[in-house]
Amino acid sequence: VYKRQPFVGQDGAAPDSGRLTLTGSKNSRVVVEATGSGQANISIDANGDGDFNDAGDRIIEGDWDTIFQ
């Protein structure tokens, strides 16, 4: 687990900013990012090549509270 930027926001609300990167085998990664206004992105680099655009990769965007119920 590598925390690049702490999650910051008001108590009881979704964070306004912050980023958490989890690195797995063969350099695969999951990046969780608070993007503000209660929104979040989860980016998955399944093959560890450093981008999130290959067939096995995925980017999930949405409401923080919906994603992290």
Side-chain angles (χ1 to χ4, degrees):
V1 177
Y2 174 66
K3 191 183 281 188
R4 178 179 235 171
Q5 179 182 5
F7 290 106
V8 177
Q10 301 293 322
D11 276 343
D16 294 316
S17 64
R19 181 179 189 153
L20 174 68
T21 301
L22 306 170
T23 303
S25 67
K26 298 183 182 177
N27 214 29
S28 60
R29 292 181 303 144
V30 174
V31 178
V32 177
E33 184 174 19
T35 58
S37 299
Q39 299 298 299
N41 291 342
I42 301 174
S43 304
I44 302 167
D45 175 15
N47 64 4
D49 69 349
D51 69 47
F52 303 99
N53 300 311
D54 300 316
D57 298 345
R58 186 160 183 202
I59 298 174
I60 302 165
E61 300 172 332
D63 183 74
W64 180 277
D65 291 332
T66 301
I67 294 172
F68 299 106
Q69 294 186 26

